Amino acid sequence: MSRVVVDVVLKPEISDPQGQAVLGALGRLGHDSVRSVRQGKHFVLEVDGTPDEAELREIAETLLANPVIEDVELHLPRG
């Protein structure tokens, strides 16, 4: 069994009010070195056999994310 991680974040041109709220809170707490926060979703999929990148990308882009406003990043097992 292989573990695949899918990260989904809003595209850079899409406003991220949750990220802005976290950034504001960090500043109020004295964490002034943080310049940007983007909120997203993190999925962990366990798949049988060798992961099929094309199939996983299709799953991510059709079910886990809205490709109009979100970007997908797949993290496949090495080797």
Side-chain angles (χ1 to χ4, degrees), residues 2-18:
S2 298
R3 181 177 161 187
V4 176
V5 174
V6 181
D7 289 320
V8 179
V9 295
L10 289 169
K11 292 181 183 247
E13 60 272 17
I14 303 297
S15 175
D16 184 354
Q18 287 181 299

Side-chain angles (χ1 to χ4, degrees), residues 2-61:
S2 298
R3 181 177 161 187
V4 176
V5 174
V6 181
D7 289 320
V8 179
V9 295
L10 289 169
K11 292 181 183 247
E13 60 272 17
I14 303 297
S15 175
D16 184 354
Q18 287 181 299
Q20 290 299 313
V22 170
L23 182 62
L26 288 169
R28 288 189 298 280
L29 293 171
H31 302 288
D32 298 325
S33 63
V34 179
R35 295 285 167 226
S36 177
V37 176
R38 299 295 287 177
Q39 174 268 328
K41 298 178 277 190
H42 180 84
F43 298 92
V44 178
L45 290 74
E46 291 187 357
V47 298
D48 289 329
T50 302
D52 180 327
E53 184 173 356
E55 178 185 22
L56 290 164
R57 186 161 298 283
E58 179 183 349
I59 290 168
E61 292 177 351

